[in-house]
Amino acid sequence: MCCRSFVLAVIAFLLSCHPSAWAGPPDDMRALLEQNRAGEAYQLGRAHPELLGEPAFDFFYGIAALDAGRTGEGVLALERYILTYPNNRDARFQLARGYFILGEDQRARDEFEALLPNSAGSMRTAIDQYLAAIRTRESRYQPSANLYLEAGVGVDTNINAGLSNGATPQVPGLGSLPPISSNSITAREQDSFMTASGGVQGIYPVSPGVSLSGGAGFDARQHFGSNNDIFDQKSFGFAGGASFLKDKQLYKVDAFVAKSWVDNQGYVASYGLNGEWNHQFDQFNRFTLSLQAARFNYYDMFTFLNKNKAGGPVFNQTSVRGSDFAGVSAAWSHAFVAPSRPVVSISGNYGEERNRHDRPDLSRNLYGVRAALDVTPSQRWGLAAGIGYQDSKYRDRFTVGSVNRHDEVYSADGSAAYFYTREFSVRAEAQYSEQKSNIGLLAYNRAVVAFKARYEFK
C-alpha cells in the first residue's frame, strides 16, 4: 500500500526548503529508493549511524527501513523526523504505515484518520485501504459482519465438457467409439451465460485470540441458449467454526454443508470438516497446512441423451457416485518488497476419494500443484495469474475389457480487478483447462471468460 508518489512529493519539498541537506548519504538513499532498491538504501543508512537525528537522513532511512522489513527502526526514524516537521503529511503517512505493520492499530488509525479529511487521489485510496485492513484485524476483538453481492456475464467454450462433433474417442481395449453426433449430449457445446452470487459472514470473538465464525453463500449460472437450460447450475452452502490466534500461529476448524443443482434437480450434497494451521514467519512469508474430510452424496436424475431433448428424459443412476474424501494441502506465500507488491504462492495437495457403492472404478487417488502471482500495480488495480496441474488415478477398470482410468488436468487462469471505491469493484477473469485422459471419451478442453461486478456492504 506504499505509494511512491508520496516519496517524490516529499523529495521535492525537502529540495525546495533544505537544499543544503542533500549532500552525502541522504541523497544516495533517495536515489536508491527511487530505483526501488530499499534494501540497499537501508544498508547505506546503517553504515552512517552518526547521521541519525538529521531530518533528511531520518526521513529516507525510515522509509528504507520500513520497506526492507526493519519496521521498528523505520518507525523510530520517522518519529524523530516528525518532531522537527510535525505538519509533513507524507511523513505522517509513512509513520502510520509503520504503526500498521507493527500491529499498533490504534496509533495507525489515529494517524490515518487525521490525514483523511484533506486527502485525495492515491493517498486517499491508500488510507481507505489501510483503515479497512485495520477494521478487519479488529474483528478479532469485536463482533463484525459483512455481505457481498456479485453479478456477471461470460462465455464458456465447452459448458458440458464435451467432445468435438464427429470425434471418434478411443477407449483402451474397446477401440474407437462411433463418431459423436452434433446433437449428442456429449458433443461440445459453447454458450454465453450470466452469473449471480452472494454471501454473508460474521465473526464473534469470545476471548483474546479465540473467535467463532459463520457464513452462508449462493452461486448461480444460467445459459442463454434455448436448450442449454439443462446445464444451468446453482448451489448453496453454509459453514461455521472457530479460530485460535496466538503469536504467529493461527489455528482454524470449521464444518460445512453444501448442495448443488443442475437443471433444477438435486445433483450433489456435501458436508465435512476443514482444519487449518497458519504460521506467519514474518511480514513477508506465510505457511499454511490444511486437512479436509468430506462426504459426497449424489442424487439420481433425469437427463437427456440429445441436446434438443428429443426422445424425452431418461433416468440416470448418479447416486452410485457417492464417496468419502480425505485430503491434505500445503501452501507457502512470499510477499516481495517492490512497488507493485507482488505475492508469490506455491501449493500442493493430495487426496483419496473412496466410492461407497462397491464401485472401485469411481475411487481414485489424486494430487496436484499450483503456482500463483498477485500484484497491485496501483492503489485501485489488482492483477492475478496462476497455473496448475491435477492428476487422478482410478483404482479399477473403466469398464469390462478396458483399463484403469487416468486423468491429468492442466489449467491456467488470470484476472484483473479495478476498485472504484472500497465497496464497489469490477473484475475480468479468464480460465483455460485441458483434461487429458487415457479414456478418450473423457478428454476435453475448455476456456471461460467472464466480466463481473461486486459490491461489499461493510
Side-chain angles (χ1 to χ4, degrees), residues 269 271 294-298 319-325 353-359 362-363:
Y271 55 92
R295 170 159 288 192
F296 299 93
N297 292 327
Y298 290 83
S319 58
V320 297
R321 294 180 57 185
S323 63
D324 292 325
F325 175 82
E353 185 175 6
R354 296 179 179 271
N355 182 268
R356 303 195 314 274
H357 298 279
D358 196 27
R359 288 287 303 273
L362 297 175
S363 297

Side-chain angles (χ1 to χ4, degrees), residues 90 171 176 195 232 274 375 382 392 422:
D90 301 291
V171 177
S176 298
T195 66
D232 290 349
N274 290 317
V375 297
S392 297
R422 186 166 58 90

